[in-house]
């Protein structure tokens, strides 16, 4: 079955350490996205990528980094510069249709990161 | 900028009750509107969408009508079930560019259905 796989489901880190969250999709989607979900704040876009070897900052990119070396993979690194890293992180993907930004997002099941 | 406002939760209903979750939006132009659902421990799934004024999106007994005059996209279901317990997100996207990077989400409404 096609889908998006995020791993691990739960991740614990000490403050000051970088941590990388995995996101893999086998849907052959061009675009991939990382969102952060906090209670009472909905979803906020961190980074997105529409093509291999290219990515753009979203609304809250500070303290995060990404890479897109393969179409299927879009890992997110939470660096020690991110002031409030504890959150639920969601990866998504979609097809791209020229002139129409309304193709549905497919989401992974998320990674809950706790930094102490 | 674009924004989405949804009714605050949590919302608790008895099984078979009528459900309305309010959603209003602010956007220039002609956005597309969506409802996503998040079941416990999972990511979001698209529930329904509407791409122009007066369109009605429907799926799994849920409905929402795109009302441009009131800038609203309220989610309704005539008879809820325990399995509908989840968090519901209203979202919009304006038709610029050709990606979903401009998707704007509401804060989510947690719905709990009791037997």
């Amino acid at each position: 079955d096609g889908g998006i796989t995020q791993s691990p489901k739960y991740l614990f880190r000490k403050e000051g350490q970088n941590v990388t969250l995995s996101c893999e999709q086998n849907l052959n989607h061009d675009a991939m996205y990382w969102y952060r979900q906090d209670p009472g704040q909905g979803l906020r876009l961190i980074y997105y990528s529409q093509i291999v070897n290219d990515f753009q900052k979203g609304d809250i990119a500070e303290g995060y980094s990404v890479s897109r070396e393969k179409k299927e993979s879009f890992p997110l690194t939470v660096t020690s510069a991110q002031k409030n890293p504890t959150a639920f992180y969601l990866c998504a993907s979609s097809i791209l249709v020229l002139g129409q930004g309304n193709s549905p997002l497919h989401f992974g099941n998320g990674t809950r990161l706790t930094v102490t | 900028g674009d924004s989405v406002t949804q009714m605050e939760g949590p919302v608790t209903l008895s099984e078979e009750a009528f459900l309305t979750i309010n959603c209003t939006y602010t956007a220039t132009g002609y956005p597309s509107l969506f409802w996503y659902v998040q079941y416990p421990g999972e990511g979001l799934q698209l529930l329904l969408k509407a791409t122009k004024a007066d369109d009605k999106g429907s799926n799994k007994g849920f409905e929402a009508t795109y009302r441009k005059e009131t800038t609203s996209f309220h989610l309704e279901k005539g008879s809820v079930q325990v399995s509908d317990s989840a968090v519901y997100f209203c979202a919009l996207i304006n038709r610029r560019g050709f990606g979903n990077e401009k998707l704007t989400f509401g804060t989510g409404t947690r719905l709990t259905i009791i037997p």
Side-chain angles (χ1 to χ4, degrees):
Chain A
D1 288 339
I4 300 180
T5 301
Q6 290 188 242
S7 61
K9 191 172 179 65
Y10 298 96
L11 192 53
F12 298 88
R13 279 294 182 269
K14 294 288 188 187
E15 194 173 327
Q17 293 179 334
N18 291 355
V19 59
T20 297
L21 283 60
S22 169
C23 177
E24 304 277 332
Q25 55 101 356
N26 60 4
L27 299 166
N28 200 32
H29 285 172
D30 292 297
M32 297 187 74
Y33 311 81
W34 274 105
Y35 287 90
R36 170 179 171 140
Q37 184 177 14
D38 295 281
Q41 294 196 49
L43 276 69
R44 293 182 289 169
L45 182 64
I46 304 172
Y47 266 99
Y48 64 97
S49 168
Q50 296 183 341
I51 194 170
V52 173
N53 291 323
D54 188 47
F55 48 82
Q56 306 296 328
K57 291 182 179 180
D59 300 319
I60 55 164
E62 185 176 350
Y64 299 98
S65 65
V66 292
S67 62
R68 188 86 186 276
E69 296 177 2
K70 299 186 299 182
K71 187 176 184 179
E72 303 80 24
S73 179
F74 191 42
L76 173 74
T77 296
V78 184
T79 75
S80 56
Q82 169 48 233
K83 292 183 173 52
N84 296 296
T86 295
F88 189 53
Y89 291 87
L90 285 163
C91 180
S93 70
S94 71
I95 60 172
L96 287 180
V97 180
L98 182 62
Q100 295 182 41
N102 59 5
S103 55
L105 289 175
H106 294 257
F107 283 86
N109 284 337
T111 293
R112 186 166 299 280
L113 172 65
T114 302
V115 176
T116 57
Chain B
D2 301 339
S3 67
V4 175
T5 302
Q6 7 180 158
M7 76 189 274
E8 291 190 18
V11 174
T12 302
L13 295 173
S14 297
E15 204 166 19
E16 299 183 3
F18 184 86
L19 168 71
T20 300
I21 300 179
N22 289 339
C23 172
T24 57
Y25 67 89
T26 301
T28 57
Y30 301 93
S32 295
L33 303 173
F34 307 83
W35 277 100
Y36 282 84
V37 58
Q38 183 179 32
Y39 297 104
E42 298 183 8
L44 278 68
Q45 303 173 25
L46 179 66
L47 181 60
L48 52 84
K49 71 176 184 180
T51 57
K52 62 182 188 297
D54 299 324
D55 266 3
K56 178 186 283 188
S58 61
N59 185 24
K60 300 181 181 179
F62 291 90
E63 292 183 340
T65 301
Y66 187 163
R67 302 279 188 208
K68 190 163 173 60
E69 63 275 15
T70 54
T71 61
S72 65
F73 193 53
H74 304 322
L75 183 68
E76 296 181 336
K77 186 174 185 182
S79 176
V80 292
Q81 306 300 314
V82 172
S83 56
D84 294 327
S85 297
V87 180
Y88 292 81
F89 291 90
C90 186
L92 72 80
I93 190 166
N94 250 314
R95 293 176 191 163
R96 50 181 183 265
F98 62 104
N100 282 298
E101 67 276 12
K102 299 301 181 186
L103 196 64
T104 300
F105 285 90
T107 54
T109 301
R110 181 176 299 278
L111 172 67
T112 302
I113 308 301
I114 48 179

